[in-house]
Every structure is written in C-alpha cells, then in structure tokens.
C-alpha cells in the first residue's frame, strides 16, 4: 500500500514519519502523474494560499479533483482541510483555488493569527471506538481553520470550544455567517464524508498515531470495496472457456 503525501510545502515530512511509525510507506507527491499509482493521499497543513499557488504551478488541480471524484481516500489536515472544502471564507483578496469535494464551509483562520495558536484536549469517541484507547486526543491548532457549516452527508467527529477572546471572524460579504458564528460556543474541527477526512488540527505533530491508523482503515475499506466490485463484474471462468477463442494471426 502506498499513501501519497502532497509535498509542495508544510508538514509533509511529519506525516511521512507518522506513517512510518505505523509501518506504512508515505510517498512525496509533487506531480499529477504521481497520483496515478496511489491508494490514498494526505494533504498536510501549511499555508493554503501558497499551497494553492504551487499546486496551480504544477498543474495539479485537475488530477487532485479527479482523485477525490474517483472515491480515493483523501485526508486534509489544517491547510489541507481548507483545500478539500467546497467553500472557504476569510481568504486573501482574490480568493484561492480549492480542490473541493468536502461539503463544508471552512473559515481559513477561524481561531485568529499565528499568536492565537493553542493546544487542547479533544473528545473524539469515534477514534476510541475504532482505534482503542481513550476518547481524548491532543489537538494542536496552528493558525487553524474552523468548520462553520457541514452538509447532511458529513459526519462530525469532533468539535472544540470557541476561545472566549475570539471576537468572531470577519467575513467580507458574509455578515449572516458572522452573526451565526458569534453566538456559537463550539466549532466543528474534525469531519468525515465517505472517502474524505478533514481535521483542523495537526495529529502528525503528536505521538498519537491513531488518526493515521483511522485513515488507514478508511483506505483498506475502500480497497476492499474496489476488489469486490472487480470480482463481481468479472466473467466467471466457465463462460470464459465456453467462448470460442479468437482467431489470432500467426506470424512465422
Ligand atoms: N490557516 C492556514 C491557511 O490558511 C492553515 C494553517 C495550518 O495549516 N497550520 O492556510
């Protein structure tokens, strides 16, 4: 199994190291053709505007969108989550290109600037159910995004209290959203929608590898489904033998 890690910038090395700790090879991905032989992809944290510019420069967007559309598992952490969202707000002027697929509205810097970065214990019952251990995991939030809205097919895995000094994000042209957020005391920070996983924080910066194992299970589930699909659509061997062989030309 090969898990790709988008290696344009950001914490791709840390993801590869976390994968190594659970015995899986992570491969650095920088070109569209490298996506073809992957089982799954991780998009790391970093700076989503810069990442988007680099992805555009390397002509990666069509291949990334096709990867998501084909149902291959993709996990976006922090900037990677922003990249996967159908809609992002709080972007730099001119906006930025997104891969999309994850039916969420994400605020790029929900928790404020780099100085407002923090760590907190998150309760994630699904992580404990699937991977064992306690349902508490350490959330490292670095200039982190928050998920403002999640569609009906999106499973919320974790939310987090909004810090009391968070005056509410400024969303140009999105005053209705701003009002809604202002009265929210918790914000969604981890979601799953089918083949897509998104976390606003950085599990790759902690020693808890359960998020990586969780993603690996998603990959295995998808691979099993693909195998089942192939085997049920295959012609049974008996029919194969009944069929008259083609008359192939013989060259001497
Ligand atoms: N808020 C950052 C962005 O816009 C993401 C920060 C991170 O990935 N740690 O890209």
């Amino acid at each position: 199994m090969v898990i790709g890690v988008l290696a344009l910038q950001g914490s791709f090395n840390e993801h590869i190291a976390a994968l190594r700790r659970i015995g899986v090879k992570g491969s650095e991905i920088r070109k569209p053709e490298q996506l073809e032989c992957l089982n799954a992809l991780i998009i790391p944290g970093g700076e989503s505007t810069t990442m988007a510019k680099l992805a555009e420069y390397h002509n990666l967007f069509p291949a990334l969108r096709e990867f998501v559309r084909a149902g291959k598992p993709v996990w976006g952490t922090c900037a990677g989550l922003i990249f996967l969202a159908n809609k992002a707000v709080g972007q730099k002027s001119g906006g930025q290109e997104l891969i999309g697929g994850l039916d969420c509205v994400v605020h790029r810097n929900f928790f404020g600037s780099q100085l407002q970065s923090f760590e907190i214990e998150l309760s994630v019952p699904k992580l404990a159910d699937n991977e064992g251990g306690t349902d508490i995991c350490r959330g490292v939030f670095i200039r982190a995004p928050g998920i403002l809205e999640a569609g009906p097919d999106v499973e919320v895995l974790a939310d987090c209290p909004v810090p009391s000094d968070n005056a509410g994000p400024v969303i140009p042209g999105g005053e209705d959203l701003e009002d809604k957020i202002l009265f929210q005391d918790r914000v969604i920070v981890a979601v799953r929608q089918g083949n897509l996983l998104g976390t606003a924080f950085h599990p790759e910066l902690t020693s808890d590898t359960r998020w990586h194992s969780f993603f690996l299970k998603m990959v295995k589930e998808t691979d099993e489904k693909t195998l089942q699909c192939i085997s049920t659509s295959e012609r049974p061997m008996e029919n194969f033998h009944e069929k008259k062989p083609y008359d192939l030309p013989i060259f001497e």
Side-chain angles (χ1 to χ4, degrees), residues 224-234:
E224 269 160 30
K225 270 192 209 143
T226 315
L227 276 178
Q228 270 168 17
C229 243
I230 295 170
S231 61
T232 50
S233 63
E234 259 174 10

Side-chain angles (χ1 to χ4, degrees), residues 9-11 44-51 77-82 90-92 96 107-110 112 114 117 140-145 200-202 204-205:
Q9 62 99 227
S11 62
E47 214 285 326
S48 58
T49 318
T50 313
M51 216 186 277
T77 54
C78 209
L81 158 71
I82 302 170
Q91 290 158 296
K92 287 190 182 144
Q96 71 196 55
H107 190 288
R108 237 189 103 217
N109 292 321
F110 181 84
Q114 194 83 7
S117 300
V140 179
F141 289 80
I142 305 173
R143 200 155 61 87
F201 47 94
H202 289 265
E204 78 283 8
L205 300 182

Side-chain angles (χ1 to χ4, degrees), residues 111-171:
F111 294 96
S113 71
Q114 194 83 7
L115 288 175
Q116 271 101 44
S117 300
F118 62 98
E119 282 190 37
I120 194 169
E121 288 190 337
L122 297 171
S123 164
V124 193
K126 195 71 180 234
L127 198 60
D129 288 352
N130 287 24
E131 305 305 322
T134 147
D135 64 359
I136 299 295
C137 83
R138 198 169 138 214
V140 179
F141 289 80
I142 305 173
R143 200 155 61 87
I147 299 169
L148 308 181
E149 285 181 352
D153 297 332
V154 177
E155 182 187 5
V156 174
L157 300 176
D159 62 10
C160 154
V162 177
S164 51
D165 59 351
N166 191 326
V170 179
I171 306 170

Side-chain angles (χ1 to χ4, degrees), residues 61-80:
F61 275 106
L64 286 169
R65 290 195 184 111
E66 179 49 32
F67 198 85
V68 169
R69 203 206 50 78
K72 298 247 182 112
V74 183
W75 175 17
T77 54
C78 209

